[in-house]
Amino acid sequence: MESTRMDTIRNLVDQNPVLLFMKGTRVAPRCGFSARVVQILDALLPDYQTVDVLADPAIREGVKQYSSWPTIPQLYIRGEFVGGCDIITELFENGGLHQKLGVTAPDPPKISATEEAVRALKEAVGEEGEFLRLEVDSEFEHALSIGPRQPGDIEVELNGLTLLVDRMSAMRADGVHIECIQSSEG
C-alpha cells in the first residue's frame, strides 16, 4: 500500500511539468495558503495541474512524506519540489518563480496621473523612506497608501513621484489613471 501511494505521487510529479498539491481545487481552493499559490500561478501560467489532497487522505499524508515537507500546498516544477506558500510567494516577489517556470517577468504597468494629483501626492508622502503605494486586488478594487518599500515592489515613475506597486497588483494596474478631485466636504 505504502509503495503504491508513493508510486502514484511520483507518477503525478513526473507526468506534470507544473503540479500543485493543494487543499481544494484551482477553481475552489479550500485554504488561504492554497488560494494564494493558485493566485500566483494563475497570474503566470495558463495551464498547470492540481491535486486536491482533501479528496484522498492517503495522498495528503503521502505527499508530505514524499517531499519531507510538513505542510500543504506543495509545488513541483519539472519534478523538482519548490516549496510551500511562503517560499512560492517569496520567489514570485523576487522574480525567481518566473525563472523557474521559464516565463518572462511582466513589464512595469503603465500608470498615469494628472499634474495636480502628483503635486498633492508628493505633499502627502512627505517623509523620507516612505513611498506612495498602489494596490489592486483580484476584484480590481484599488487603494493608494503611504508606506515603506516591500520586497518585490515594482517602481513606476510619475513626474518625479515614485509609485510602488506589488507584483500581484502590477499585473492588474496597467492603464490606471490617478486624478485629484476636489471635494466640498470638510
Side-chain angles (χ1 to χ4, degrees), residues 8-139:
T8 299
I9 293 169
R10 185 176 302 104
N11 286 337
L12 286 167
V13 168
D14 289 345
Q15 292 172 5
N16 294 286
V18 179
L19 179 66
L20 179 64
F21 289 94
M22 63 178 288
K23 293 179 181 175
T25 65
R26 182 175 177 179
V27 175
R30 293 187 51 199
C31 87
F33 299 112
S34 292
R36 174 73 176 150
V37 175
V38 164
Q39 184 181 34
I40 289 169
L41 290 175
D42 282 351
L44 299 176
L45 295 173
D47 189 38
Y48 60 93
Q49 300 304 311
T50 64
V51 174
D52 180 3
V53 300
L54 297 178
D56 186 342
I59 294 290
R60 181 178 182 173
E61 290 309 311
V63 74
K64 293 176 185 179
Q65 293 172 354
Y66 183 80
S67 64
S68 299
W69 191 262
T71 61
I72 305 292
Q74 293 186 13
L75 179 64
Y76 288 82
I77 299 174
R78 289 181 289 287
E80 175 192 350
F81 173 63
V82 178
C85 182
D86 290 344
I87 291 170
I88 299 308
T89 300
E90 182 179 335
L91 284 170
F92 175 70
E93 289 173 350
N94 70 27
L97 188 59
H98 295 78
Q99 291 176 336
K100 285 188 174 294
L101 291 169
V103 298
T104 56
D107 291 331
K110 291 175 180 54
I111 299 173
S112 60
T114 64
E115 288 181 31
E116 185 179 7
V118 169
R119 222 176 6 261
L121 292 168
K122 281 181 180 178
E123 284 180 33
V125 172
E127 281 187 48
E128 184 148 336
E130 295 290 307
F131 296 90
L132 182 65
R133 302 186 59 78
L134 172 65
E135 293 181 30
V136 183
D137 69 17
S138 60
E139 303 294 316

Side-chain angles (χ1 to χ4, degrees), residues 3-4 17 19 32 35 40-41 62 90 94 105 148 153 156-157 161 173 176 181:
S3 66
T4 304
L19 179 66
I40 289 169
L41 290 175
E90 182 179 335
N94 70 27
D153 278 344
V156 176
E157 195 65 31
L161 173 68
V176 166
I181 300 173

